[in-house]
Amino acid sequence: MQHYQLTLNIAPKVLATVLDADLSVVVARQNKGSTGPLLAWVAFSPLPSNQVSWEEAYSLYASTTEVLSNDVVMVQALQDAAMPGKVYPFDRHASFGPPTAGAAAGQYAISNSYTHARMMTFGLAQTAVLSGNVQAPSPVTAVSILQEQTVTFTPPDTLLVFLARPVEPGMVLAPVSRLQANVAEYPIEAMQQGLTLFYSAETGRFEPRQP
C-alpha cells in the first residue's frame, strides 16, 4: 500500500500573522481539470511545521447533506476498506451491502437503493494522520444522486493546499477557478517520497522552496 507524506512549514513571524487573521490550512483533493466544487479534506490551525500523511486506501460514505458551497458534508454511513473495481449497494436500511463486480479497475461505484430520501450524497473518504494524530475519515469527493442511480468515483490525482477561513473538514468549497490565486496544486505522486512545502508571504502560496 502506497504511503504519502506532506510537510507544510510556515516561518514563525508569518505564522503570527496567519493566526491573527484566523486562517486555516486547507488540504483538498481533486482530479486534474475538474470543474466541480472542492471538499476540504483536511483543515487545521497551523503550527510552524505540520505533517499530513495517509495511505492509498479509501472508504465510501453516504450523507443526506446537499453539495452546496459552505455546507459541511456529514458522514452518516461508512464502508471501510472499500475495494476498487466493485459496486457497493446502499440499501433501504441505510447501510452498504456486499459489493459486486462492475466498476472499472481502480474505480469505486455506489448504487443508491435507499428509499427514504429523494436524493443522497456519496463519495470517497480517507483517513489522514495530522502531525501524529489520526483523524476521522473525511470526505474527499461528493456527488448527489437520485434513487436507483449509480455513481462512480476515480481517486483524485491532484492535491491542493491553501489558506482560507473559516473552514472545517468536509466543507464544500467553490471550484478552483473561483478560489483565490493562492491555491497551490501538486500531483499526488509527488508525496510518495515525501514533499515539503514552505509558505511564502510574498506569493501567498505554499512553495517547494524556502522563502
Side-chain angles (χ1 to χ4, degrees):
M1 186 178 297
Q2 292 284 358
H3 179 80
Y4 301 84
Q5 182 165 310
L6 173 67
T7 300
L8 301 170
N9 294 326
I10 305 176
K13 288 184 179 180
V14 177
L15 179 61
T17 302
V18 169
L19 295 177
D20 286 345
D22 197 26
L23 295 172
S24 297
V25 173
V26 180
V27 181
R29 307 271 300 278
Q30 197 169 62
N31 282 305
K32 188 71 173 178
S34 174
T35 58
L38 283 175
L39 289 180
W41 173 46
V42 180
F44 57 92
S45 181
L47 295 171
S49 184
N50 313 270
Q51 291 78 38
V52 181
S53 60
W54 65 96
E55 306 286 346
E56 189 63 6
Y58 293 93
S59 301
L60 304 178
Y61 75 88
S63 175
T64 55
T65 308
E66 291 189 54
V67 186
L68 300 174
S69 291
N70 297 321
D71 281 355
V72 177
V73 177
M74 305 300 295
V75 175
Q76 292 164 293
L78 191 70
Q79 171 65 54
D80 288 322
M83 295 183 292
K86 301 292 185 180
V87 180
Y88 285 80
F90 189 71
D91 62 31
R92 61 188 182 91
H93 301 295
S95 62
F96 288 98
T100 59
Q107 294 186 329
Y108 303 78
I110 300 171
S111 60
N112 180 23
S113 297
Y114 186 63
T115 57
H116 300 286
R118 186 183 69 85
M119 182 175 291
M120 291 290 293
T121 295
F122 299 100
L124 300 176
Q126 197 167 44
T127 299
V129 179
L130 176 59
S131 297
N133 298 307
V134 179
Q135 309 297 295
S138 181
V140 175
T141 60
V143 175
S144 297
I145 60 173
L146 298 170
Q147 296 173 19
E148 305 307 325
Q149 288 187 327
T150 298
V151 61
T152 301
F153 298 97
T154 300
D157 58 13
T158 302
L159 182 141
L160 303 94
V161 58
F162 52 97
L163 297 179
R165 65 177 183 187
V167 177
E168 58 183 288
M171 181 174 284
V172 181
L173 307 174
V176 175
S177 60
R178 297 183 188 176
L179 291 174
Q180 297 177 354
N182 67 344
V183 177
E185 299 185 32
Y186 297 93
I188 294 292
E189 61 186 21
M191 287 81 184
Q192 289 184 11
Q193 303 300 322
L195 178 65
T196 298
L197 302 175
F198 302 86
Y199 182 73
S200 169
E202 182 177 343
T203 65
R205 294 162 56 97
F206 283 93
E207 309 279 2
R209 296 181 181 179
Q210 188 168 4

